[in-house]
Amino acid sequence: MSWKDTPKVELHLHHEGAAPPAFIRQLAHEKKVDLSGVFNDDGSYAFRDFVHFLSVYEAATSVLKTPEDYARLTTAVLEECAANGVIYAESFISPDFCGGRDVEAWKEYLHAIQEAATKAEADHGIVLKGIVTCIRHFGGEWAKETALCAAETKGDFITGFGMGGDENQFTQGTFKWAYDCAREAGLQLTTHAGEWGGPESIRQALDDLKVERLGHGVQVIEDAALMQRVIDEGVTLEVCPGSNVVLGVYPSIDAHPIKRLRDAGVKVTVSTDDPPFFHTTMTREYEMLEQAFGWGQDDFTALNLVAAEAAFCDTATKTKIKKRLEAV
Ligand code: HPA
Ligand code: ZN
């Protein structure tokens, strides 16, 4: 069956990574930016591996130069999410790309993004919250500035703080100051961990950054004691199966540990990460999970209720989402 219209909650989505290639090409054309090397002949994003993906990502993002560009991006992204049944999404937004970590400039980008999100909610019924995200390979000092941007703008829209980028650079603990700053401001916390850095990266994320969710986190499957800790502490995993397969973390969806994690009692959720880069959508993820593991409506409802519970939003919003999920 098609899972397109099934209501979904998506917790792990990179704002620029969700940009349709045609949207980025159009902006490049308008701004006369040379994006050779970013696209394959068929128009899809071109990359060889994770590190190359990150550099192509940053090249594509370079066409997004103004708050207005981010407003247009937000509209395009939320239309696509809503078309795939997503009723609530959280996206990673970086002051590094939005105003170069200058607080006042960041506020202008944020205003534009939020205005577009409000319109998308009115048009399509989709709710967006923003997770301010530092970029790991940019290092700890820039992350401090990013955290200050996050702390300054914490509110109804900015509810979380996170970290993306190259998990093989630095330690999680390098970013302790930034995470302490974000926590003290009242933001909820997540970080990419256990996509590439193994169980040690997850242990550091829990010990040093005290996050309540893990971006990916799937490599916890390699360490039974750590997995028990993740279960005991109720840490939620933002699992992106299609992304993991395309980037080669696992050779196939059948080999992906999401079912084993769920069966063991780990709180797992499903997201797309950077959907057009990984040739996926939320609908496609559900199709793959149905095919690989025989999951059906009850499984997806349960996964979405876990996601709603772990969402970085107020109780009233959670209740509203859960009602829509349970109405199916
Ligand atoms: N992983 C890590 N960092 C990222 C990603 C991702 O999928 N997309 C953008 N930054
Ligand atoms: Zn990610």
Side-chain angles (χ1 to χ4, degrees):
M1 77 170 264
S2 168
W3 297 104
K4 196 170 182 311
D5 296 326
T6 296
K8 304 172 186 75
V9 174
E10 176 159 37
L11 300 180
H12 189 114
L13 181 68
H14 296 264
H15 214 70
E16 301 86 3
F23 173 85
I24 294 296
R25 267 196 300 277
Q26 173 62 27
L27 274 188
H29 175 72
E30 288 173 23
K31 293 164 191 285
K32 303 189 176 21
V33 175
D34 177 13
L35 283 188
S36 47
V38 166
F39 299 108
N40 292 309
D41 290 344
D42 68 2
S44 61
Y45 290 112
F47 54 90
R48 293 181 298 274
D49 53 29
F50 178 59
V51 172
H52 187 223
F53 157 76
L54 290 174
S55 83
V56 169
Y57 185 105
E58 281 164 30
T61 298
S62 73
V63 306
L64 295 155
K65 292 181 185 296
T66 66
E68 169 60 21
D69 297 338
Y70 268 86
R72 287 166 67 186
L73 171 65
T74 303
T75 300
V77 168
L78 291 179
E79 272 174 7
E80 181 63 17
C81 286
N84 284 282
V86 176
I87 59 169
Y88 174 92
E90 291 176 6
S91 75
F92 298 116
I93 311 172
S94 305
D96 297 274
F97 301 134
C98 299
R101 296 175 305 286
D102 176 84
V103 175
E104 292 312 313
W106 161 243
K107 284 180 182 167
E108 285 177 29
Y109 279 83
L110 201 50
H111 180 76
I113 292 167
Q114 222 178 325
E115 224 171 44
T118 302
K119 182 158 191 310
E121 183 171 351
D123 292 348
H124 309 293
I126 181 170
V127 173
L128 179 71
K129 301 286 179 192
I131 300 175
V132 175
T133 302
C134 62
I135 295 171
R136 186 151 168 168
H137 52 273
F138 291 172
E141 291 306 309
W142 284 14
K144 287 181 186 174
E145 297 177 18
T146 303
L148 290 170
C149 288
E152 276 289 318
T153 50
K154 189 248 170 199
D156 180 51
F157 178 65
I158 294 297
T159 56
F161 185 72
M163 176 162 61
D166 187 354
E167 200 186 326
N168 294 313
Q169 308 278 329
F170 306 104
T171 59
Q172 302 276 10
T174 306
F175 305 90
K176 184 175 179 341
W177 191 96
Y179 273 76
D180 287 346
C181 171
R183 186 183 314 102
E184 280 162 28
L187 290 156
Q188 295 191 264
L189 306 175
T190 180
T191 183
H192 283 64
E195 179 189 16
W196 303 103
E200 183 52 27
S201 173
I202 295 171
R203 211 171 286 114
Q204 288 174 13
L206 299 178
D207 289 340
D208 299 340
L209 306 186
K210 301 182 171 46
V211 295
E212 55 205 276
R213 294 194 334 219
L214 296 166
H216 300 281
V218 284
Q219 290 176 321
V220 75
I221 197 83
E222 297 165 19
D223 183 326
L226 185 64
M227 188 154 88
Q228 193 56 50
R229 176 178 175 191
V230 161
I231 294 167
D232 292 344
E233 295 182 9
V235 175
T236 299
L237 269 48
E238 304 154 6
V239 182
C240 309
S243 161
N244 290 158
V245 172
V246 169
L247 288 175
V249 182
Y250 299 102
S252 67
I253 194 80
D254 302 270
H256 195 283
I258 187 168
K259 181 178 188 300
R260 282 175 284 147
L261 290 164
R262 181 170 178 238
D263 290 349
V266 177
K267 289 183 183 172
V268 300
T269 62
V270 175
S271 295
T272 57
D273 215 5
D274 308 274
F277 280 87
F278 305 139
H279 309 288
T280 193
T281 61
M282 283 293 273
T283 307
R284 178 94 192 90
E285 294 292 322
Y286 283 36
E287 286 165 359
M288 290 190 293
L289 292 166
E290 177 189 29
Q291 201 171 18
F293 306 122
W295 286 356
Q297 186 63 62
D298 289 351
D299 298 286
F300 294 130
T301 299
L303 286 167
N304 280 306
L305 288 170
V306 169
E309 194 50 46
F312 292 167
C313 67
D314 54 283
T315 313
T317 306
K318 281 188 193 190
T319 305
K320 211 165 72 181
I321 309 169
K322 285 184 195 166
K323 272 214 183 94
R324 289 184 68 182
L325 296 172
E326 281 162 347
V328 173

